[in-house]
Amino acid sequence: MRLTKKGLWGGIIREFRDFLPEIHDSAVTTLLEGNTPLIETVNLKDVFGDIRMLLKYEGLNPTGSFKDRGMTMAVSKAREEGAGAVICASTGNTSASASAYAARAGMRAYVLVPEGSVAMGKLSQAMMHGALVLQIKGNFDDALNIVKEITKDYPVKMVNSINPYRIEGQKTAAFEICEHLGHAPTYHFLPVGNAGNITAYWRGYREYEKEGIISNLPKMMGFQAEGAAPIVLGHPVENPQTIATAIKIGNPASWDSAVKARDESGGVIDSVTDDEIIEAYRLLASREGVFCEPASAASLAGAMKMKREGVLADGDTVVCTLTGHGLKDPDMAIKASAKPVKVPADVKKILKAMGL
Ligand code: F0G
């Protein structure tokens, strides 16, 4: 991994400067995002056999999701252009990230979120960072349409992934994976919502290949939730439904570029059920010690599905991006696990409960 002269990570803009649009140093707004671990699984042999399975744990970014990579770019550029405020529609993570980076830049943040469909951790982040949180009676797609309309006429910078700088920043996760492994994986799995991230990773891999840093390209494997799978169905979904609220999206903004990433790489965009997502979510936390949010587990659920269907083979190197931290959605974690055992403060009774 590249590091600054002092051996300290400088955030993705400074570390990958050669591959990113130029930004004046004084505008760089960073919380030292990026440099997230690529964790090799050790306890999933019964599921994956001799496949090398690695987890790109993006939940360890400063606001707990991969959005920070794109947000450092988008907010820095907005600052360079003299913007005083940013706006986004969000299922939660983009709003948390935009709010934090706007705070850091001394800018106002406006975030539009679907009422009742944003995990508690994410909502609390946007509120704490001082954003104006606008909860709409509508879904993410409605919120995005409103944001598009507002930014046409008002000097507020849109920081959804339609903003090209977001994709530019997010592609750096692919760079890190290549530098870590020394090559690209055979398959790269990730959840697909608004479809910006699959677009960004594919761009990153292709740029590293063009520069001769890697000589192979991965197949891009995107997974939507079954009740919110417009790309799989081939048409927008008016009323998307899934427990994975982060990817509860019926009409992704980067639809075309996601399809391009799939087709150019020879990959797949498919769906997984909520039950499959929860199974993968539990498996990661209970067997590997890695806590991600439900939407993130759609990547592993997708890999499990592809293994069952005989697509993955022994010897393949597979990376699953875990897009957000498990603490983002404590309600779902509590629902998905065994309840705490209530016991009196008494050694004997506690030993009995422990089975000793
Ligand atoms: N995983 C998580 C945890 C997300 O928050 C998102 C998107 C995705 C996956 C899907 O990524 O949109 O690039 O395909 N969250 C957006 C938000 C929509 O508003 O936070 P994508």
Side-chain angles (χ1 to χ4, degrees):
M1 196 62 59
R2 353 160 134 222
L3 295 169
T4 57
K5 283 200 192 89
K6 286 185 218 144
L8 298 171
W9 181 258
I12 62 119
I13 293 177
R14 298 206 166 99
E15 300 299 333
F16 296 108
R17 184 154 257 162
D18 299 349
F19 290 86
L20 293 171
E22 242 174 78
I23 299 181
H24 195 273
D25 227 24
S26 63
V28 172
T29 305
T30 178
L31 292 164
L32 308 182
E33 58 295 311
N35 197 23
T36 56
L38 187 63
I39 304 171
E40 187 144 6
T41 62
V42 288
N43 294 318
L44 299 180
K45 233 184 157 45
D46 56 329
V47 184
F48 289 111
D50 286 325
I51 290 162
R52 187 178 183 205
M53 171 60 69
L54 302 117
L55 310 167
K56 182 64 172 164
Y57 193 22
E58 288 289 278
L60 291 192
N61 275 299
T63 77
S65 87
F66 72 97
K67 305 286 180 180
D68 296 341
R69 294 178 185 274
M71 207 53 74
T72 183
M73 281 293 305
V75 169
S76 298
K77 269 289 169 190
R79 191 170 169 188
E80 191 179 64
E81 290 162 14
V86 297
I87 188 169
C88 65
S90 182
T91 56
N93 280 325
T94 300
S95 70
S97 187
S99 306
Y101 282 82
R104 182 94 174 161
M107 289 161 76
R108 189 86 177 100
Y110 303 101
V111 305
L112 268 74
V113 296
E115 191 182 345
S117 286
V118 174
M120 206 54 80
K122 306 174 189 183
L123 195 61
S124 68
Q125 289 177 288
M127 291 163 68
M128 275 302 285
H129 291 305
L132 178 66
V133 180
L134 299 153
Q135 285 184 310
I136 66 155
K137 288 206 188 305
N139 59 29
F140 169 83
D141 304 288
D142 301 323
L144 186 57
N145 285 335
I146 294 167
V147 166
K148 280 187 201 159
E149 202 171 312
I150 291 172
T151 49
K152 254 193 272 162
D153 299 326
Y154 293 88
V156 190
K157 201 77 192 168
M158 136 102 79
V159 292
N160 279 105
S161 55
I162 305 166
N163 179 324
Y165 297 116
R166 280 278 312 280
I167 305 288
E168 283 294 308
Q170 282 173 211
K171 75 186 179 188
T172 59
F175 296 165
E176 290 175 16
I177 290 167
C178 296
E179 292 188 15
H180 188 123
L181 293 173
H183 53 85
T186 328
Y187 292 93
H188 189 122
F189 285 79
L190 71 175
V192 172
N194 214 20
N197 214 25
I198 189 169
T199 304
Y201 270 95
W202 182 235
R203 186 181 298 175
Y205 283 124
R206 295 229 335 224
E207 285 183 11
Y208 258 30
E209 189 218 25
K210 199 165 148 229
E211 286 302 312
I213 299 169
I214 53 168
S215 54
N216 66 316
L217 285 168
K219 293 190 189 337
M220 300 304 296
M221 312 292 278
F223 281 80
Q224 303 195 291
E226 194 179 63
I231 301 177
V232 181
L233 295 169
H235 59 77
V237 174
E238 205 168 306
N239 188 18
Q241 294 299 337
T242 170
I243 50 102
T245 51
I247 52 172
K248 196 172 157 188
I249 293 174
N251 191 13
S254 299
W255 189 318
D256 293 345
S257 50
V259 166
K260 225 170 129 197
R262 176 194 70 191
D263 295 345
E264 287 177 2
S265 72
V268 160
I269 295 180
D270 196 353
S271 63
V272 281
T273 65
D274 280 1
D275 285 349
E276 288 170 328
I277 289 172
I278 293 292
E279 186 194 355
Y281 172 60
R282 283 205 189 104
L283 199 69
L284 283 170
S286 64
R287 301 259 297 268
E288 291 293 341
V290 178
F291 191 19
C292 66
E293 65 173 286
S296 306
S299 58
L300 190 82
M304 289 165 75
K305 183 173 178 178
M306 291 297 104
K307 167 68 180 151
R308 280 198 305 275
E309 292 184 1
V311 175
L312 309 184
D314 283 354
D316 284 342
T317 300
V318 176
V319 172
C320 287
T321 296
L322 302 181
T323 45
H325 201 287
L327 289 172
K328 292 272 190 177
D329 196 348
D331 297 317
M332 190 57 72
I334 286 169
K335 257 191 229 158
S337 32
K339 300 289 158 279
V341 182
K342 288 198 181 174
V343 278
D346 176 278
V347 172
K348 273 195 189 135
K349 293 204 165 105
I350 288 174
L351 284 169
K352 191 163 173 244
M354 290 166 74
L356 297 176

